Amino acid sequence: MGEDFEIVLGAARAGAPWAFERLYTDLAPVVTGYLRLQGSAEPDDLTSEVFLGVFAGLSSFTGSEQQFRSWVFTIAHRRLVDERRRAVRRPAEPTADPAMLDGRGGDTEAEALDALGLRRVYELCATLSPDQREVLLLRIVGDLTVEQVARTVGRSVGAVKALQRRGLAALRKKIG
């Protein structure tokens, strides 16, 4: 958002629908990607929960655009932890995905290439420890600083740097 951030934030605090939409469209795709790669059962639904929390807490937020981004990912991280806790307490029954049962096709070649690329990303992420994966996703997908990641996951800056270094080294071995 750049220079418009303060204007958009102020308008959202005042209840302007266009400002909520702008905040959501700027950050929802990366939040969803983070949640999806972290193995969320319902990343789209969880993203909605994240933004309900963000919009409800806008009046208490103070800071820059980068601090706002960090705050949003902190909320996303907490919602993901909550989802995992719920899953342990109440395991879900597997159901068929209606989209998979839909016989209509699209661009099969493009879909196959997208699926292969996405599958490779999932495979690479799966080779990392959960802590390494979380740190790398917050750094890369979330575009957070080391300090912001440390606050989000409740670890020291040194621990985050070490997890990042080990995670990147593990990925280099798998890719290269």
Side-chain angles (χ1 to χ4, degrees):
M1 281 179 261
E3 295 175 9
D4 294 340
F5 175 71
E6 290 297 327
I7 295 167
V8 173
L9 184 62
R13 284 182 177 142
W18 68 267
F20 289 122
E21 182 181 355
R22 174 84 185 269
L23 293 172
Y24 184 83
T25 57
D26 279 5
L27 286 171
V30 292
V31 168
T32 303
Y34 164 74
L35 295 170
R36 183 170 283 119
L37 288 169
Q38 280 289 64
S40 171
E42 297 290 336
D44 295 322
D45 291 346
L46 201 53
T47 298
S48 296
E49 285 183 39
V50 168
F51 279 91
L52 286 173
V54 167
F55 296 152
L58 274 179
S59 62
S60 66
F61 173 79
T62 57
S64 68
E65 182 176 2
Q66 187 61 28
Q67 290 168 321
F68 181 76
R69 187 179 187 94
S70 176
W71 181 64
V72 169
F73 274 92
T74 298
I75 294 170
H77 172 74
R78 290 179 181 160
R79 294 293 189 276
L80 181 64
V81 169
D82 291 345
E83 179 189 71
R84 289 175 178 163
R85 286 181 184 145
R86 280 191 305 270
V88 168
R89 286 193 307 266
R90 291 177 272 147
E93 293 291 322
T95 59
D97 182 0
M100 298 300 285
L101 300 175
D102 185 1
R104 290 176 287 160
D107 184 348
T108 307
E109 182 181 0
E111 289 174 11
L113 290 173
D114 286 346
L116 287 173
L118 188 57
R119 184 175 338 141
R120 181 70 174 140
V121 170
Y122 278 112
E123 288 170 358
L124 289 170
C125 284
T127 65
L128 301 170
S129 74
D131 291 337
Q132 290 170 348
R133 181 175 49 248
E134 184 159 52
V135 165
L136 288 177
L137 290 174
L138 286 170
R139 289 281 289 135
I140 296 166
V141 176
D143 194 29
L144 302 184
T145 66
V146 171
E147 293 78 13
Q148 291 168 329
V149 172
R151 281 192 302 275
T152 299
V153 299
R155 292 185 176 260
S156 71
V157 170
V160 168
K161 286 180 180 180
L163 286 165
Q164 178 179 311
R165 189 172 43 255
R166 287 194 300 265
L168 289 173
L171 288 176
R172 270 190 219 100
K173 285 181 185 175
K174 294 288 180 187
I175 293 172

